Amino acid sequence: MFVTVDRQRPSSLPWATLTILAVCVALFLWLVLAPDTARWQFLRQWGTVPTRLFDPNAPTLQQLVELRWLRLFTALFIHAGWLHLVGNLLVLVIFGVPAERALGPWRFLLLFLLGGAFANLGAALILSSTSTPIVGSSGAVSAIIGAYLGLFPRARLGLVLPLGMFLEFVRIPAPLLIGFWALLQVAFTFVGPAFGPVAWSAHIAGFAAGLLFALVSKPAIARRLRS
């Protein structure tokens, strides 16, 4: 998949996207080198664990002191495997670079953090009885996909498709392709357990949050571009 980026304006370095990418890679490499016990303890400590986030037996003061809500954010930078990491970061680069150039780096970081936290919260609400940590930036990346659709509704995404013995490059309207992806997330929410432990509901929540974020941000983006 390829995304056409507008080159009419001078392109600044997408440092917010690169920073997120570097933090995720560095943390993953550290976890790979850590002992198994330390790795699992870190996932439990800093991932979003639904049963800990919604623990009715824990006093409110204890929950505030332990900053349990902070796990909604820290979980975004933790990945459980290479495929998990590479898949998320690939989509982050494809959609994040044009989204960051439109939103600006600080608003883009806010989108990543708030959209990802909202996605983790939505998944934790649905999986409230689960003690398995929810980790990964999939929810935040889904928010970026939603924001991309809101920012560039007339964009076309390039795909290389295998047609017989040849590879064919085709351009597909972004709403069509992203809409198909969103429908898949809804479908996998119901049949997801057959495809592994993936919090598909986080993708849906993140996508909706990102789309709303982009629509609300459009007036501010227009003012920034005029200035």
Side-chain angles (χ1 to χ4, degrees):
M1 182 182 296
F2 304 89
V3 178
T4 301
V5 180
D6 186 5
R7 296 292 184 181
Q8 294 179 356
R9 294 176 56 86
S11 298
S12 58
L13 184 69
W15 62 263
T17 301
L18 295 177
T19 300
I20 294 170
L21 189 149
V23 172
C24 289
V25 171
L27 185 55
F28 179 77
L29 292 176
W30 180 81
L31 287 173
V32 167
L33 298 175
D36 292 341
T37 304
R39 184 186 307 117
W40 175 244
Q41 183 178 359
F42 186 88
L43 293 176
R44 289 278 303 173
Q45 178 66 25
W46 296 106
T48 299
V49 181
T51 53
R52 291 190 62 195
L53 191 63
F54 305 113
D55 185 2
N57 299 319
T60 303
L61 181 60
Q62 177 185 344
Q63 296 187 37
L64 292 176
V65 170
E66 294 180 354
L67 299 177
R68 296 191 180 187
W69 58 270
L70 188 62
R71 276 61 174 178
L72 296 171
F73 298 92
T74 55
L76 300 175
F77 302 95
I78 305 172
H79 291 82
W82 280 107
L83 290 178
H84 192 202
L85 174 72
V86 173
N88 280 337
L89 296 189
L90 180 62
V91 179
L92 171 66
V93 171
I94 291 173
F95 291 96
V97 171
E100 180 181 348
R101 287 173 177 163
L103 291 169
W106 295 109
R107 191 175 283 109
F108 178 80
L109 281 175
L110 190 64
L111 165 67
F112 182 88
L113 293 173
L114 293 184
F118 181 80
N120 285 343
L121 178 61
L125 285 170
I126 293 177
L127 304 171
S128 57
S129 61
T130 303
S131 59
T132 303
I134 299 173
V135 296
S137 57
S138 301
V141 168
S142 298
I144 293 172
I145 294 176
Y148 181 92
L149 179 61
L151 293 170
F152 310 108
R154 298 180 181 179
R156 286 179 172 268
L157 302 178
L159 291 178
V160 178
L161 299 177
L163 299 178
M165 298 180 61
F166 303 95
L167 295 176
E168 186 73 20
F169 181 80
V170 297
R171 291 184 178 275
I172 301 176
L176 180 63
L177 191 60
I178 294 177
F180 178 72
W181 171 86
L183 289 177
L184 283 180
Q185 309 313 302
V186 175
F188 283 142
T189 299
F190 298 97
V191 299
F195 293 87
V198 179
W200 300 104
S201 52
H203 301 178
I204 301 172
F207 175 78
L211 181 59
L212 179 62
F213 186 94
L215 296 178
V216 171
S217 300
K218 276 193 171 183
I221 295 172
R223 289 193 298 270
R224 184 177 68 85
L225 293 178
R226 285 197 299 268
S227 63

